[in-house]
Amino acid sequence: MTANTVKTNRLAQYLALTKPRVTQLAVFCAVIGMLLSTDDGLPDIGKMVFATVGIWLLAGAAFAVNCLVEREVDARMARTARRATASGEITVMQTLLFSAVIGGLGMAILYVLVNPLTMWLTFATFVGYAVIYTIILKPATPQNIVIGGLSGAMPPALGWAAIANDVPMQAWILVLIIFIWTPPHFWALAMYRREEYKKSGLPMLPVTHGMRLTQFHVWLYSIALFATTMLPFAVNMSGVIYLACAVVLGIMFLWHSWQLYRRYTDQLSRKAFAFSIVYLALLFAALLIDHYFLIRI
């Protein structure tokens, strides 16, 4: 193996610590917040770029800390055992330094090139995820994903603050949608990964309270999610384009959840988890299309 190959592999390991797929979804939601924050066309592109980079870096720093704290848990789970922190290929000090560098750079970009409000909100989100959720809540309660879900729901508010230097009611509605979406999304994963979570020692709901109760919780949260997604239309934040899409997507989400509750299989749970990601992306895309359609007319 050449020196260049070793360097490339190490860079890939560091990149993996930032959980790129999860980070991309978070940044996508932040960009949606940026685009919805103005009623007179596109926001300032330069500020959008700097805000996106800053939020991305701080999110990556938070995920790196998450990998560090959970390295022993990750080593016991098949889907995470290859992480460099779990295998010991990247040390504790290296991970902390990596997180500090990209997190510090993200904070500097947000403070200097965006605005202090966005920097402090993003830093609070970092603390909420990396410390309150990962260190305190996740190993302590099966409701960890519910209580800690607020930090994961914050990206639209961060994006809105970046452009408007304010976080109005509309931004918090987007946060609420993600907050309610998170439990059925994550528990669908936890159900078909229940044996791995049992080995990990984490008190996930399917392990501590059984599958049937988890299935019921997924169904109840899906009903709450359907109602919550009607709020943008109810407060005149969106029009009939979004409403139609939210209803159709909501019915599909409810159908997946009902199937899980009625006759659970791991295959159905995998499908529900995969659809939940597509659902959120399409829901926010519909909100964005509706928003700019209303501006044009």
Side-chain angles (χ1 to χ4, degrees):
M1 185 178 292
T2 66
N4 287 337
T5 302
V6 172
K7 290 180 181 178
T8 301
N9 289 342
R10 181 49 60 94
L11 287 174
Q13 288 177 330
Y14 277 110
L15 178 62
L17 295 184
T18 67
K19 301 184 181 181
R21 291 183 180 179
V22 183
T23 306
Q24 287 169 13
L25 183 60
V27 170
F28 169 77
C29 293
V31 171
I32 294 296
M34 297 178 204
L35 292 170
L36 292 176
S37 66
T38 176
D39 291 328
D40 54 356
L42 290 173
D44 180 89
I45 300 300
K47 184 167 287 189
M48 281 187 66
V49 171
F50 289 126
T52 299
V53 172
I55 292 169
W56 195 310
L57 288 170
L58 266 169
F63 287 129
V65 172
N66 173 266
C67 290
L68 174 63
V69 172
E70 296 187 343
R71 62 193 183 280
E72 294 182 4
V73 171
D74 287 344
R76 295 194 289 269
M77 300 178 66
R79 72 184 181 91
T80 55
R82 293 183 180 179
R83 286 177 182 164
T85 44
S87 65
E89 294 182 65
I90 294 179
T91 67
V92 171
M93 189 55 64
Q94 287 172 331
T95 307
L96 287 174
L97 181 61
F98 172 67
S99 180
V101 169
I102 65 172
L105 180 60
M107 289 180 65
I109 290 172
L110 292 177
Y111 188 88
V112 176
L113 300 174
V114 184
N115 58 60
L117 174 63
T118 306
M119 188 276 284
W120 287 116
L121 283 175
T122 309
F123 178 71
T125 302
F126 169 90
V127 173
Y129 181 82
V131 179
I132 297 175
Y133 169 67
T134 300
I135 297 176
I136 300 174
L137 292 175
K138 196 170 183 179
T141 170
Q143 292 295 316
N144 45 30
I145 197 64
V146 178
I147 304 170
L150 180 60
S151 59
M154 283 295 292
L158 306 180
W160 204 296
I163 302 302
N165 200 22
D166 188 22
V167 190
M169 173 193 65
Q170 294 91 331
W172 293 114
I173 287 176
L174 301 181
V175 171
L176 181 61
I177 289 172
I178 301 178
F179 179 75
I180 301 297
W181 166 86
T182 301
H185 159 73
F186 190 84
W187 282 330
L189 168 70
M191 283 192 287
Y192 74 80
R193 295 281 191 179
R194 61 193 176 279
E195 293 303 322
E196 291 187 38
Y197 279 115
K198 187 180 296 184
K199 292 178 183 177
S200 75
L202 293 173
M204 292 302 174
L205 194 64
V207 177
T208 60
H209 289 73
M211 293 290 289
R212 191 59 178 167
L213 183 66
T214 307
Q215 291 163 239
F216 184 56
H217 273 58
V218 169
W219 172 239
L220 289 181
Y221 270 96
S222 298
I223 296 172
L225 178 63
F226 185 91
T228 304
T229 58
M230 298 298 108
L231 288 176
F233 181 77
V235 300
N236 294 320
M237 180 181 173
S238 65
V240 293
I241 294 176
Y242 167 79
L243 178 63
C245 292
V247 169
V248 172
L249 289 168
I251 290 172
M252 294 173 67
F253 199 104
L254 287 169
W255 183 84
H256 279 283
S257 299
W258 176 248
Q259 293 298 308
L260 284 181
Y261 180 62
R262 188 171 65 90
R263 52 180 184 90
Y264 176 87
T265 67
D266 284 354
Q267 183 180 13
L268 286 173
S269 192
R270 289 175 184 272
K271 288 182 178 179
F273 174 74
F275 175 73
S276 67
I277 299 172
V278 175
Y279 165 87
L280 188 65
L282 291 178
L283 184 78
F284 277 15
L287 193 58
L288 188 62
I289 292 169
D290 184 286
H291 177 75
Y292 281 94
F293 177 79
L294 289 176
I295 288 177
R296 285 197 302 270
I297 63 174

